[in-house]
Amino acid sequence: MEPVSNIQKWALITGALGGIGRALVSEFVEHGYQVIATDLNNSCKTLNNVHFLQLDLDAFVLDEAYAAEFYSKISRITAHKGISTLINNAAVQILADCSQLSRKQWQTSLNVNLTAPFFLSQLFTDDLVANKGAIVNISSIHATLTKKEFVAYATTKAALSSMTRNMVLDLGNRVRINAIEPAAIATDMLKAGFDGKEEQYKRLEMFHPLGRIGTPKEVAKLACFLSSDDAGFVQGACISASGGIHGCLSDPL
């Protein structure tokens, strides 16, 4: 897909300072978008065609006035043109055994990973309809395949993928909505978790049929495609980006 020349299309990307988030911002800018990049953490960086906003998704979910003020900020930034793409990328990954998970941990997981994407989609529906826009939810392989202590994260991602499919029935042909379900992606956070564990990292790579894990840019390129007119007939899809690992049986024998 060739970069577009019209820079008046606006993309709103949450979780923009993480590994996948940074790749999303760069990819959409490369394809001619003006990007509103949000994150819980503030950023002092200034980039061409990128507007940074701090966004607390917990507060966004719980405080309607906070959400309304956020919408007003976006409206002012876009000169009331509104966004044409919403990328729900932000997520928290709280790991705990189901017998130990606290109510706060459970509710935070739901707020950030599921409820915020829903209400962001609802808040910007009119803008997206007016701009013939698209929503891309960054879900996870954990929506269908998970492991111990991932119950909160996996449950929210399964619900996010389900929400993606179900919202289609209400949105119809007005707004396209799709999800990406990545497996292991080579973010700084993932690499830091394998610091000093090079052999384990190599085993993780080789367990993927492609012989490697994914890159943030590959996820970003797929999100950019799903936001484009080239993906015009793709609606309500939850697309695996797993390097084939979603087909692997983990068999001890």
Side-chain angles (χ1 to χ4, degrees):
M1 183 173 60
E2 292 299 321
V4 297
S5 58
N6 180 7
I7 63 170
Q8 295 308 307
K9 296 179 78 171
W10 291 86
L12 172 59
I13 300 172
T14 67
L17 297 182
I20 292 175
R22 293 195 304 271
L24 285 163
V25 170
S26 296
E27 191 70 21
F28 276 85
V29 168
E30 182 181 328
H31 282 78
Y33 287 79
Q34 295 273 2
V35 172
I36 301 168
T38 74
D39 202 279
L40 177 61
N41 300 311
N42 205 357
S43 173
C44 298
K45 295 189 297 183
T46 300
L47 298 172
N48 290 336
N49 301 328
V50 181
H51 306 255
F52 286 96
L53 276 183
Q54 191 169 18
L55 175 62
D56 182 335
L57 291 176
D58 251 331
F60 175 86
V61 167
L62 298 172
D63 187 341
E64 290 189 23
Y66 181 92
E69 177 57 26
F70 176 70
Y71 180 82
S72 295
K73 289 178 182 178
I74 300 298
S75 185
R76 290 194 294 270
I77 289 171
T78 65
H80 306 289
K81 293 183 176 71
I83 63 171
S84 60
T85 297
L86 171 62
I87 310 294
N88 287 310
N89 169 63
V92 293
Q93 190 179 87
I94 298 173
L95 305 185
D97 185 271
C98 61
S99 65
Q100 301 297 321
L101 198 69
S102 71
R103 283 173 168 78
K104 180 173 176 54
Q105 289 173 321
W106 178 260
Q107 194 60 54
T108 297
S109 299
L110 285 172
N111 286 350
V112 176
N113 298 358
L114 176 65
T115 310
F118 175 78
F119 282 112
L120 280 165
S121 300
Q122 184 188 75
L123 185 65
F124 289 101
T125 293
D126 289 345
D127 287 359
L128 293 166
V129 170
N131 294 320
K132 299 179 180 178
I135 301 167
V136 179
N137 294 320
I138 307 300
S139 184
S140 169
I141 192 173
H142 287 275
T144 54
L145 300 166
T146 193
K147 50 190 177 182
K148 293 172 69 172
E149 299 189 345
F150 273 77
V151 61
Y153 182 76
T155 298
T156 58
K157 289 301 186 178
L160 181 63
S161 289
S162 178
M163 185 189 84
T164 301
R165 294 188 294 269
N166 295 331
M167 283 182 66
V168 168
L169 302 180
D170 291 335
L171 293 173
N173 65 354
R174 297 180 300 143
V175 179
R176 287 190 307 103
I177 179 169
N178 295 287
I180 301 172
E181 297 178 345
I185 301 297
T187 62
D188 292 342
M189 184 179 295
L190 182 139
K191 291 177 181 177
F194 283 90
D195 188 31
K197 304 174 183 176
E198 288 75 15
E199 188 58 37
Q200 289 173 267
Y201 187 83
K202 186 173 181 180
R203 286 204 301 271
L204 174 63
E205 288 184 306
M206 296 313 297
F207 193 61
H208 292 72
L210 277 182
R212 64 176 179 85
I213 62 178
T215 68
K217 186 173 180 63
E218 287 173 318
V219 176
K221 287 174 75 68
L222 180 54
C224 202
F225 167 74
L226 290 172
S227 301
S228 74
D229 292 340
D230 290 340
F233 198 59
V234 183
Q235 175 69 314
C238 297
I239 298 175
S240 172
S242 73
I245 199 173
H246 69 286
C248 295
L249 176 64
S250 182
D251 194 330
L253 299 180

